[in-house]
Amino acid sequence: MKEFFPEIPAIRYEGPGSKNSLSFHHYNKDEVVLGKKMSEHLKFALSYWHTIDAEGTDIFGSGTMDKSFGGASPMEIYKNKVAAAFELMQKLGIEYFCFHDRDIAPEGKDLAESNRNLDEIVDLIETQMKKTGIKLLWGTANCFNNPRYMHGAGTSCNADAFAYAAAQIKKAIEVTKRLGGTGYVFWGGREGYETLLNTNTSLELDNMARLMRMAVEYGRSIGYTGDFYIEPKPKEPTKHQYDFDASTVLAFLRKYGLDQDFKLNIEANHATLAGHTFQHELRVARDNGVFGSIDANQGDMLLGWDTDQFPTNLYDTTFCMYEVLKAGGFVNGGLNFDAKARRASFGFDDIAYSYIAGMDAFALGLKKAAQLIEDGRLDAFVQERYSSYESGIGAEIVSGKATFESLEAYALGLGEVRSNRSGRQEMLEALVNDILFGK
Ligand code: XLS
Ligand code: NI
Ligand code: NI
C-alpha cells in the first residue's frame, strides 16, 4: 500500500528528556492520571479540513502545500485523502477525527451528485474505521463556503438557501450516524450579518432555531443518539455572528426551548476573539451544564482573526484541562485540533511536529491540572473565600430566608463592612507557577 507520509514515523512516547522531536515527551497514552488513562481524558481528534485539505492559502497568497496526494480527478484525490488521513492518525496515535461533508468528498454538479460522492467516500472511511478502530468524534455540514450561502444558511434571507442547507445537514447527520459519530456540530459560518440596514434579525434567529429543531427531530427519528453542539464564535467571516459566545448561545437555546438538546463545542481561538479567555468560555459551559466538546487551538493575541494555531500555551492547556476535569471529563466530546501548521511550515513533517506540540501541551496541561486539584490549595482558598455564606446572614441569603427587610436590619447593625479579606490573586498566580514550573 502506498505510504503518503514517508517522512513521518510512528510517533512514540520517549519522555521529557528526549531530544527526538518526532516523539512524544509528555503524552503517554496509557499513563494513568486521576484514575483514567491519558488517552481517555484527552480524546484527541484530527480535523480533516485543516490537516488533510488545507494547503496554506491565505487572503494574500496561494497554497504552499499540495494535498492532492497524487490523485488526478477530484474523486481520486478524495479517495487518496482517506488513505492519507488514516495513515497519519495511526502514526500519530490519534483515535478520533472530525469533518465537514465537503472536506471528505467533492461537491458535485447538483445535490444528488454531491450526496453520491459522499456515499462513495463514506464507504471507504467506514472500511478504514473498522480496520483501524479509529472513531468519528463529530461530523458537520459546510454551509458557509459555497456562494449559495452568501447571505447565510439557516439565517439566509433566501428560503431556497435555507432549504438547501437543511438538505445538506440532513445528509450530514445521516453520515455521522452511519459512521457512529458521537457528535454533530453547528458552527454558523455565515449565520450573522454585515449590516443591520438590510437584516431582519428577528426572523433570521427564529429560522435558525427552526433549522436546529428540525435537525434534532430528524436525527433522533433515525436513531442518532450522539450530542448536538453549537460552536460559539463572535465574528469572521461575518462582522457579527449570532452564536457570539457561550452566554449568547445559552440565551438563544433557552429562548427557543433547545437547551435540553444542545451542548457547546468551545474553541479557544473563538473565545479570545470574543474578548474572553478560553477558561472563561469553558467555565460558562460547565456552570450551565452544557459543556460538550472542545476545538483545541490558540490565536495570536496581536491578531484579530481565527489563526487556528496549534496550542502550545501551557497556562491555557492547564486551565482548560482544569475546567474539563471539574466538569467531570468528556462524555461524547473530545479535543479536536481545529488547528493548522503555519503557512510557512509547509512540510508534511510539520504536520507531525504540530500535532506532537499540541498533544504534548495538552498532556502536560492535564498533568498540571490534576496536580492543581490534588494540591487542593486553590479549591481550599475559593471555599474559604465564600465561607461567609455558610452560616449566619450568608446562610440565610443562600437558603432564600433573607428578605430586603431582614438584610436592612442586619446592615443597620453592622456599622461598616469590615470583614473583607484579600483576594490574593498574586499569591495564587505564584502558586500556579510553582506547580507548572517548580519541579
Ligand atoms: C471555524 C470553525 C469551524 C468549525 C466547524 O472557525 O472553527 O472550523 O469548527 O465548522
Ligand atoms: Ni472550530
Ligand atoms: Ni475556528
Side-chain angles (χ1 to χ4, degrees), residues 139-160:
T140 186
N142 180 331
C143 296
F144 44 87
N145 195 286
N146 191 287
R148 80 177 70 91
Y149 298 122
M150 63 174 73
H151 300 300
T155 64
S156 177
C157 51
N158 182 354
D160 283 351

Side-chain angles (χ1 to χ4, degrees), residues 356-381:
I356 291 168
M359 291 162 81
D360 269 348
F362 265 97
L364 254 177
L366 166 66
K367 285 199 256 188
K368 295 299 173 183
Q371 278 179 35
L372 278 172
I373 290 170
E374 282 175 328
D375 173 85
R377 280 176 292 170
L378 273 187
D379 278 338
F381 186 87

Side-chain angles (χ1 to χ4, degrees), residues 86 90 97 122-135 178-179:
F86 280 85
Q90 281 182 289
F97 64 108
V122 167
D123 285 343
L124 292 181
I125 291 183
E126 195 174 36
T127 308
Q128 288 276 10
M129 287 172 74
K130 284 204 181 111
K131 213 167 76 191
T132 60
I134 289 170
K135 298 178 275 292
R178 178 176 161 198
L179 295 177

Side-chain angles (χ1 to χ4, degrees), residues 49-50 100 138 185 187 231-233 265-268 270 294-297 306 308 336-339:
W49 56 102
H50 284 310
H100 304 79
W138 52 257
V185 167
W187 169 61
E231 183 178 322
K233 183 175 180 181
N265 181 37
I266 302 292
E267 177 164 322
H270 297 180
I294 287 178
D295 270 9
N297 60 17
D306 201 12
D308 288 338
N336 166 47
F337 284 107
D338 195 348

